[in-house]
Amino acid sequence: MSQGNLFTALRRAFPADLDQVAVETADTATPLHYTWRDLERGTAMMANLLESLSLPPLSRVAVQVDKSVEALMLYLAVLRAGHVYLPLNNAYQAAEVEYFIGDAEPAVFVCAGRHFGWVSTLAFRLGTRNVFTLDDDRSGSLLARAAYHADVHEPARRRSDEIAAIVYTSGTTGRSKGAMLTHGNLLSNARVLKDAWGWIPGDVLIHALPIFHVHGLFVALHGALLNASRMIWFGRFEPKAVIARLPEASVFMGVPTLYVRMLAEASLTRGACRHMRIFISGSAPLLLDTFAQWQQRTGHTLLERYGMSETVMLTSNPYSPASGRRGGTVGFALPGVGLRVHDELEQPLPAGEIGGIQVRGPNVFSGYWRMPEKTAAEFTEDGWFRTGDVGRIDADGYVTIVGRSKDLVISGGYNVYPAEIEGYLNEMPGVAESAVIGVPHPDFGEGVVAVVVPRPGAAPDAQALIASLKCRIASFKVPKSLFVVPELPRNAMGKVQKNLLREQHKTLFTRA
Ligand code: MLC
Ligand code: AMP
């Protein structure tokens, strides 16, 4: 069996001198320095711990923890042991986590210590036998147990077409789907991005994104690891603190909200950015205004790229020269990625015309976990994946995203699926039906808004509905505003006209 394990490829890129600093924490009580040797040994001990559990091959290891360097090591250790990493947003509450455990049937769950009570109850009930804790202060049963294991470990042999990670992404209807990404998907994309973004020896990455989604976990992390680059590691994004570290760094990746928040700081100057080589934006549309302001204030041209959980990265603006980075576009299809635009009858459209974006390439996932029908439905007969994004390709190859055919709100880089929130609202006392939309928001790009119709004779209170949602679902999904109305606008077919609601509320968050 050939060795296609992503971990092996990443480890091969470690520098010859393993005693160099690989990761430096920026927001712990005192800065901590982790060398490449620490990563090598820590991941070996955790991988040995996983092996000692005698799990079946390709067991899922679900992880819902606060960001820490040990959490990074855990991700690498799962790859190293040849199991399947399943990251979960740490804002998810019990009902959300219950679904993921039931669906993915992880053999291991690693949670924050404060959540051990409810997580272990759920996990044991659903058949997960191993629950460990890991906190961002280097405590927890995972590390305590790993400490008893050897610090050398031979990485499991994996084929490049075997699954390395499952990333859940909600569907427009129904429950979340687990996108299965293989070692080969992740490695091929990481290698393409290393070239595309001109990583050079000596680059230093500021890592300030969460590591439970594609952007922070794969794009940023793999980039730095494959380039043997030091990382300045933020547990959470804090604009002033990040700007203060820019002079020591050369690469930064963020969702647009991060750039908007940094622009609000007076300390963001050309001087602060003088050693930076590149700022990359993605996960949500970057406003032209943010692109222009960033250029004016820092002298740097933001490089916007486009991707998704199912495909990792698909397009990127050119690295060089910076004048080729065109604001409002997501650049060109990356080498090896096929990208086409089609109409509703699946006919390819000529340059400049707007339609659905379809893609293919070595980066495209191998399907949704245990959902062969949904997988089949998302691919065309000739094997292209339907992204659900709507856009155009200009005559010179630049791709522009103009919207989405999927009913999805992207708030601060997090995806919120209206159907899911509507499902929760519709079950609440006094609610007959609801519609959830996204409207422009100055900080989050889009802000979630709910419009609710009461049952006859009922008078649900907007604040009470919001409070009730907060007890059940991740707070970033909770509508920032909720309106109770007599009825929803519908078209002749009876379909709710969300475009009218979006129009009606379009200045809700921006008019101040
Ligand atoms: C936090 N809140 C949000 C929110 N983030 N509300 C809407 N949208 C968001 N994105 C809410 C919280 O629920 C809370 O509400 C309040 O804001 C404060 O929470 P916080 O934790 O203190 O927020 P903060 O740390 O300021 O977080 C904001 C943020 C974060 C922008 C730093 O959202 C973030 O890191 N976003 C990046 C997401 C990301 O990595 N996406 C990549 C996906 S991969 P309350 O009511 O409780 O006070 C992908 C593919 C690709 O899309 O192409 O990359
Ligand atoms: P996710 O499912 O979390 O991976 O989100 C992927 C979605 O984010 C894509 O399908 C797009 O809708 C959106 N997205 C990612 N990058 C960009 C970008 N640069 N511009 C616009 N939308 C983007």
Side-chain angles (χ1 to χ4, degrees):
M1 203 195 310
S2 69
Q3 176 56 305
N5 190 328
L6 168 65
F7 175 80
T8 304
L10 295 174
R11 188 173 69 161
R12 212 175 283 138
F14 283 15
D17 176 6
L18 288 180
D19 292 320
Q20 288 175 21
V21 173
V23 191
E24 177 187 338
T25 61
D27 54 3
T28 45
T30 51
L32 302 170
H33 296 87
Y34 294 79
T35 63
W36 294 93
R37 193 181 304 283
D38 292 331
L39 296 189
E40 165 61 22
R41 293 180 59 229
T43 57
M45 291 158 92
M46 290 185 199
N48 280 321
L49 166 61
L50 291 172
E51 283 192 3
S52 74
L53 303 174
S54 304
L55 310 174
L58 298 175
S59 288
R60 276 75 60 211
V61 178
V63 178
Q64 189 191 30
V65 296
D66 296 324
K67 186 176 173 185
S68 67
V69 180
E70 287 70 23
L72 177 169
M73 289 191 204
L74 174 58
Y75 162 57
L76 296 176
V78 173
L79 296 177
R80 186 170 188 154
H83 293 302
V84 176
Y85 192 70
L86 196 169
L88 293 172
N89 191 315
N90 58 7
Y92 291 151
Q93 301 204 47
E96 293 153 311
V97 170
E98 180 172 9
Y99 171 76
F100 296 121
I101 301 180
D103 192 58
E105 298 179 348
V108 180
F109 198 113
V110 184
C111 66
R114 66 183 181 281
H115 295 153
F116 180 76
W118 65 264
V119 169
S120 58
T121 307
L122 268 182
F124 294 148
R125 177 161 60 75
L126 294 166
T128 300
R129 292 275 158 265
N130 305 283
V131 180
F132 296 103
T133 59
L134 174 63
D135 283 313
D136 60 3
D137 60 356
R138 287 171 293 151
S139 67
S141 60
L142 181 88
L143 298 180
R145 291 279 300 276
Y148 288 99
H149 289 271
D151 62 0
V152 287
H153 173 271
E154 183 59 30
R157 296 192 78 79
R158 283 286 166 261
R159 290 192 320 268
S160 58
D161 63 354
E162 286 183 300
I163 304 166
I166 296 183
V167 181
Y168 272 88
T169 107
S170 282
T172 43
T173 54
R175 307 305 303 254
S176 283
K177 300 171 287 189
M180 299 186 288
L181 290 154
T182 65
H183 290 266
N185 293 147
L186 298 174
L187 182 58
S188 64
N189 205 240
R191 286 186 170 144
V192 164
L193 294 179
K194 182 174 186 310
D195 291 342
W197 294 340
W199 283 89
I200 46 174
D203 265 336
V204 175
L205 171 79
I206 291 193
H207 195 300
L209 285 164
I211 54 169
F212 39 68
H213 288 306
V214 165
H215 198 160
L217 183 63
F218 302 145
V219 186
L221 201 56
H222 293 169
L225 292 175
L226 212 49
N227 196 53
S229 274
R230 182 161 68 91
M231 285 186 262
I232 300 177
W233 188 259
F234 282 86
R236 56 191 309 275
F237 173 73
E238 209 287 300
K240 274 194 183 58
V242 166
I243 294 168
R245 303 301 297 266
L246 287 177
E248 297 161 61
S250 58
V251 183
F252 182 82
M253 300 189 197
V255 302
T257 300
L258 270 51
Y259 291 103
V260 169
R261 290 189 182 184
M262 285 197 278
L263 278 166
E265 298 296 333
S267 57
L268 182 78
T269 58
R270 281 181 185 242
C273 301
R274 66 193 176 282
H275 295 134
M276 287 296 293
R277 186 174 64 75
I278 190 167
F279 289 96
I280 300 168
S281 175
S283 308
L286 176 72
L287 293 181
L288 262 178
D289 186 45
T290 311
F291 178 83
Q293 277 192 53
W294 192 267
Q295 214 163 26
Q296 197 190 9
R297 182 88 79 80
T298 69
H300 282 267
T301 307
L302 282 172
L303 182 152
E304 187 173 5
R305 61 41 171 200
Y306 155 62
M308 58 194 302
S309 301
E310 288 93 332
T311 64
V312 219
M313 295 303 100
L314 292 163
T315 74
S316 172
N317 266 281
Y319 173 58
S320 179
S323 57
R325 295 178 204 162
R326 204 177 280 174
T329 83
V330 293
F332 304 105
L334 285 162
V337 173
L339 188 145
R340 68 186 190 189
V341 170
H342 68 97
D343 66 13
E344 280 165 9
L345 300 170
E346 301 276 347
Q347 294 305 307
L349 287 168
E353 292 203 20
I354 292 172
I357 295 177
Q358 300 179 346
V359 296
R360 70 173 176 193
N363 52 312
V364 175
F365 74 133
S366 60
Y368 294 112
W369 169 254
R370 291 183 180 161
M371 289 186 180
E373 298 84 16
K374 286 205 169 139
T375 302
E378 300 300 339
F379 281 86
T380 63
E381 273 179 14
D382 56 348
W384 293 64
F385 174 63
R386 301 186 173 95
T387 63
D389 292 308
V390 174
R392 62 166 195 272
I393 311 174
D394 288 341
D396 52 6
Y398 281 88
V399 178
T400 303
I401 313 283
V402 301
R404 300 168 206 132
S405 57
K406 50 194 173 192
D407 191 9
L408 159 71
V409 179
I410 304 184
S411 171
Y414 286 147
N415 289 3
V416 180
Y417 289 85
E420 183 191 356
I421 316 304
E422 288 157 8
Y424 281 105
L425 280 170
N426 296 349
E427 280 173 12
M428 291 189 180
V431 174
E433 60 172 350
S434 60
V436 169
I437 53 169
V439 298
H441 190 287
D443 183 29
F444 293 123
E446 286 183 285
V448 178
V449 176
V451 184
V452 164
V453 177
R455 284 183 185 282
D461 174 66
Q463 287 316 312
L465 292 176
I466 288 183
S468 179
L469 280 175
K470 276 202 172 167
C471 297
R472 290 166 164 220
I473 54 174
S475 62
F476 69 85
K477 298 180 188 172
V478 175
K480 307 276 182 222
S481 265
L482 187 148
F483 299 93
V484 179
V485 300
E487 61 180 5
L488 296 173
R490 291 183 185 280
N491 65 16
M493 314 289 287
K495 196 169 180 294
V496 176
Q497 290 172 298
K498 289 196 171 181
N499 54 331
L500 295 185
L501 292 174
R502 277 191 286 267
E503 181 61 27
Q504 187 185 348
H505 296 292
K506 72 178 178 196
T507 58
L508 181 65
F509 299 122
T510 50
R511 60 181 165 235

